[in-house]
Amino acid sequence: MDIRYSIGRREFQRCTTEEMREEFLITDLYKPDEVVAVYSHIDRMVTLGCMPVNEEVPIEKGMDIWSKFGTKFLLERRELGVFNIGGAGKIVTDGKTYELGYKDCMYIACGTKEILLSSADKKNPAKFYMVSAPAHTTYETKFISINDAAKNPVGAAETANKRVIYQFIHPDVVKTCQLMMGLTCLESGNVWNTMPAHTHERRMEVYTYLEVPENDVVFHMMGEPTQTRHLVVRNEEAVISPSWSIHSGCGTSNYSFIWAMGGENQEFTDMDTIDTTDLR
């Protein structure tokens, strides 16, 4: 498991491109029959990826849970959100089976001991993108399809940010301790997300970009509003965003991204918006 110890906003101003990428960018999440995990000391969020091909993969495969988490199993004191961004797949949680298609989601509650991941077709394997946050109690594990998500069209073609925000793991859909996750899809011809930009001092966020065409990229903007930098991000790569950082992107094509948040509250509108003309 890769552990990111985080750097502060002052140190961030002196980072080279490589240092930024090493600290905040997550790549190569999907390796056949492996679980890739990145533990961030920012709110102790864990980002995971799994692409089961030839076997049913336990979520703890390759991890020494006691040495990394000090618990008997991964979700002893954690909750987990899962999106399938690949072919049809299956998740078994403590003996109960769930079928997940493309862009289906699951919330897996604190206290779940066994999580097994598999694909329906090894020639078109599932890709399970997962984010885990600390949790203080147990709620209900729930499957959430895109039809169950809260749908919010926003933006406009004139500002190149016409998009739909789907809220999956959200208080209006499922009860959780702190984790929130959703999917934003930009319409064709639109390239900007989360602009005007904002921060939220009370929550951190992880973005993972998908549906980025092979020869295109997203320029992910981050940093304090007056000290912005960017990362060049490719398909199925993720970015860790501290609470003091903006998190906005502009692509060379339209794309989608999954956002995950954890922190002090679950108020989606709790944002400190920055006027675009004030960015530096």
Side-chain angles (χ1 to χ4, degrees), residues 56 89-100 106 118:
E56 190 175 50
K90 181 174 70 176
I91 299 179
V92 179
T93 63
D94 289 345
K96 188 170 182 179
T97 301
Y98 300 86
E99 307 283 345
L100 276 75
M106 271 192 73
S118 61

Side-chain angles (χ1 to χ4, degrees), residues 197-211:
H198 65 259
T199 60
H200 25 68
E201 187 65 31
R202 295 147 292 279
R203 292 196 305 271
M204 67 85 70
E205 194 155 5
V206 182
Y207 274 15
T208 191
Y209 290 94
L210 61 147
E211 299 181 325

